[in-house]
Amino acid sequence: MSLTVLEPGLLTLPVDGGRSGFRHLGLPLSGAADRAAWMLGNALLRNAPDAVALEITLAGPVLRAEHPTACVVFGAPFDLSVSGRGAITPGYTFMLESGETLTIRGTSTGVRGYLCVGGGIEMPERLGSRSAFTPIQAGDLLRCSPSHTAGRALPFVTFPEQPTEVGILRVIEGLQRDWFPNEDFFQHGYRVSPTSNRMGLRLLGYPLDRRVGELVSEPVATGAVQITNDGLPVILGVDGQTIGGYPKIAHVIRADLDRLAQLRVGQEIRFVRVSLAEAMAIDKERNNRLREWRIRLAI
Amino acid sequence: MTVQPLGDQAILVSLPDESAAVRFTAAVRAANAKWLLDVVPAYSQVGVYFDADQVTMSAVMQFVRDRNYQSHTDTLSESRRHRIPVCYERGPDLDQVALLRGLTPADVIQQHLATEYTIYAIGFVPGFPYMGYLPESLAGVGRLASPRVRVEPGSVGVTGRQTAIYPLPRPGGWHLIGQTPLTIVDVEDGFFPLRVGDRVQFARIDDTEYEHLLGERL
């Protein structure tokens, strides 16, 4: 008894922080695409940091509570309402009482939000993670314990706090940077292609000239910016491949990986080059800010 | 060995050959560093993935340079053999590969069957075996200009000197010359019969046998 799925939404996936230790079998990182949003949502409910939440994509599910359940939707600011009570402000914790229905519709900005529930959703661990391999379906029962929250929120609903930053992706140079003879990649903007998903963000725009040749497939990492043979970039996402043979012109820095989760089809992207030292400093600053909010929420 | 950054949470280590990569992988795993997330061998290279909250990239680079991997076992020598049936009538790019290599489709099939391949890497998607090396006559076919949005499970592809089987429906950029009816991966069940170092021999089957074997496990 917990939450019954009345409508599944476009692509609603139970996620945790992902799996590590299985890349050698070809299993991707998996888990929450926007880790900061998932963490902060859990922190708002004082959940364990690795609690399973529902990742909602563009159009959310309709769920019925079978017992009192503390909830929050954090990340993209989805339109939410509870049966008989009307709209709920995204980013604020709220109670879903027994028998009430939560309807999560669309979002005007961003792509993904995280429905966290008090204590987290119970999921079996498989290959080092409790993230599901397949989205939820109508009729599924999502198990969780009864929980309670007094309404609370952060002073922002997206992280980073300025959504305009989302289209700027800071990169360090990739291993095959020298396959590309000029600066076109950094000078032209790109747009997100409709074929993008959790595996990769495909981009449209200026096709790059590249050296002729084929690469022996080599290990790759989340955030790698590969250039396919039509000269266009594909950025590897959390469900991205573990080995690849396309040349990598650049690599999105760790601190900006969550942004990939919130880029909408057609949105403009610009790549900004940073050094490895700068990437580490940016990452540290961001981690400190995240940690500070999580500590404040734990009090 | 050469060591290069692979983004800001991993490094790529290049070793003299495939066997050295397997031994180096074993040496890194054996050290059991608490910041180590993953070690992924592929051909003569190895990706080492670390927790950037716990360790710096320069420390990881020093750590891998300090590994004495020569004494570690090369699991290539303890390999297993697999026979994998393939229906070449189910390869949408067979004619194109023949054209690119100046061969007949029958030659392509015969050449693809002529070699026992070694698995040099598992990856790209769960359980995807990268095998080599294609005979000279088949080598050098490039990737598709734009990857297919969906490749059917069991599809057998070629590119460069490599051949592989797509275990799951995924986007893919290799030329497809056939399809196996066998299930070679079941992720949810933890079924991963193919490992780096195993040997694979393809065997030709027709459409009737394909239908008969469809869905069986390797």
Side-chain angles (χ1 to χ4, degrees):
Chain A
M1 294 299 279
S2 294
L3 292 170
T4 301
V5 179
L6 303 181
E7 291 173 34
L10 184 64
L11 197 167
T12 307
L13 199 63
V15 291
D16 63 2
R19 50 177 56 87
S20 60
F22 292 91
R23 291 186 79 88
H24 67 283
L25 295 178
L27 284 146
L29 184 60
S30 319
D34 183 343
R35 284 170 151 60
W38 163 76
M39 275 180 201
L40 291 170
N42 275 327
L44 277 163
L45 292 173
R46 296 191 171 89
N47 281 350
D50 63 345
V52 175
L54 280 188
E55 182 175 280
I56 297 150
T57 311
L58 290 169
V62 178
L63 307 164
R64 186 182 63 226
E66 306 302 341
H67 55 53
T69 306
C71 300
V72 67
V73 176
F74 202 84
F78 278 83
D79 291 333
L80 317 171
S81 61
V82 174
S83 53
R85 284 198 278 142
I88 300 281
T89 311
Y92 280 71
T93 66
F94 60 95
M95 282 304 298
L96 205 52
E97 301 298 341
S98 191
E100 286 185 329
T101 299
L102 170 64
T103 302
I104 305 178
R105 296 188 189 83
T107 176
S108 54
T109 61
V111 174
R112 294 181 173 88
Y114 295 84
L115 169 64
C116 302
V117 300
I121 295 165
E122 292 165 26
M123 289 286 294
E125 184 176 315
R126 281 174 306 183
L127 301 166
S129 170
R130 288 175 295 141
S131 296
F133 289 109
T134 50
I136 61 168
Q137 296 183 339
D140 285 357
L141 196 63
L142 305 168
R143 292 184 185 280
C144 59
S145 300
S147 52
H148 180 78
T149 178
R152 62 179 194 155
L154 284 159
F156 51 86
V157 288
T158 55
F159 188 89
E161 296 88 333
Q162 293 302 321
T164 49
E165 290 176 11
V166 167
I168 295 169
L169 297 176
R170 289 164 291 190
V171 296
I172 56 177
E173 293 197 335
L175 287 175
Q176 289 80 35
R177 170 69 183 93
D178 62 353
W179 284 41
F180 303 90
N182 53 43
E183 292 291 300
D184 284 345
F185 176 72
F186 296 101
Q187 286 164 354
H188 293 270
Y190 288 91
R191 276 171 298 111
V192 178
S193 155
T195 50
S196 299
N197 53 31
R198 282 172 50 93
M199 284 184 262
L201 209 64
R202 285 195 186 204
L203 304 183
L204 301 171
Y206 189 86
L208 299 177
D209 286 333
R210 52 162 274 195
R211 195 169 91 189
V212 178
E214 288 290 331
L215 194 65
V216 173
S217 296
E218 58 185 36
V220 294
T222 310
V225 185
Q226 304 186 126
I227 305 298
T228 56
N229 288 358
D230 53 10
L232 294 174
V234 177
I235 311 174
L236 298 182
V238 284
D239 280 352
Q241 61 199 58
T242 55
I243 284 181
Y246 290 114
K248 294 169 285 297
I249 192 169
H251 218 289
V252 177
I253 65 172
R254 186 188 191 218
D256 286 354
L257 290 177
D258 285 350
R259 297 181 182 190
L260 302 178
Q262 301 297 358
L263 290 164
R264 289 170 80 101
V265 169
Q267 194 164 345
E268 296 274 346
I269 287 180
R270 209 156 48 78
F271 292 101
V272 175
R273 180 169 24 203
V274 297
S275 68
L276 186 56
E278 286 168 321
M280 287 167 71
I282 293 165
D283 191 48
K284 192 170 179 188
E285 189 275 330
R286 180 179 187 271
N287 274 348
N288 286 342
R289 222 152 26 105
L290 254 179
R291 189 175 306 120
E292 195 177 302
W293 284 116
R294 289 165 67 192
I295 290 168
R296 284 201 214 178
L297 289 173
I299 295 167
Chain B
M1 81 175 67
T2 62
V3 184
Q4 296 168 287
L6 190 63
D8 53 1
Q9 321 180 61
I11 57 172
L12 188 70
V13 183
S14 302
L15 292 134
D17 55 35
E18 291 84 345
S19 160
V22 172
R23 280 179 283 131
F24 173 81
T25 300
V28 172
R29 284 193 181 131
N32 212 11
K34 68 178 190 332
W35 45 258
L36 183 70
L37 300 180
D38 265 311
V39 195
V40 180
Y43 298 93
S44 60
Q45 305 194 93
V46 181
V48 178
Y49 300 78
F50 56 89
D51 180 350
D53 290 336
Q54 293 192 53
V55 70
T56 63
M57 181 175 293
S58 54
V60 176
M61 286 182 163
Q62 192 53 52
F63 168 87
V64 303
R65 288 196 185 98
D66 291 344
R67 285 315 96 199
N68 176 11
Y69 63 87
Q70 300 299 350
S71 57
H72 277 267
T73 318
D74 172 359
T75 53
L76 282 176
S77 61
E78 304 161 9
S79 63
R80 300 180 302 162
R81 289 189 149 77
H82 306 276
R83 184 181 171 279
I84 299 183
V86 176
C87 178
Y88 289 92
E89 282 67 39
R90 303 178 72 95
D93 303 323
L94 181 66
D95 291 350
Q96 178 65 15
V97 170
L99 201 65
L100 287 168
R101 296 311 304 150
L103 300 169
T104 64
D107 290 337
V108 172
I109 296 168
Q110 189 258 322
Q111 288 292 302
H112 192 249
L113 290 166
T115 307
E116 184 185 57
Y117 301 102
T118 300
I119 299 175
Y120 290 124
I122 301 274
F124 163 53
V125 295
F128 182 98
Y130 288 83
M131 294 171 274
Y133 287 113
L134 290 171
E136 200 59 37
S137 57
L138 281 187
V141 175
R143 289 180 171 77
L144 300 173
S146 187
R148 283 190 171 89
V149 174
R150 181 187 159 102
V151 171
E152 294 306 316
S155 296
V156 176
V158 294
T159 194
R161 297 166 67 203
Q162 311 167 82
T163 184
I165 307 163
Y166 286 81
L168 304 163
R170 285 297 152 88
W174 293 26
H175 285 87
L176 307 178
I177 62 167
Q179 194 172 15
T180 179
L182 300 188
T183 296
I184 63 161
V185 163
D186 186 331
V187 175
E188 301 213 18
D189 218 19
F191 177 67
F192 292 92
L194 302 174
R195 298 295 168 118
V196 171
D198 289 3
R199 318 271 166 171
V200 169
Q201 175 68 58
F202 291 112
R204 187 174 187 181
I205 57 167
D206 62 22
D207 216 48
T208 312
E209 287 169 284
Y210 177 93
E211 295 296 341
H212 182 67
L213 292 171
L214 188 60
E216 280 188 22
R217 279 186 169 187
L218 174 64

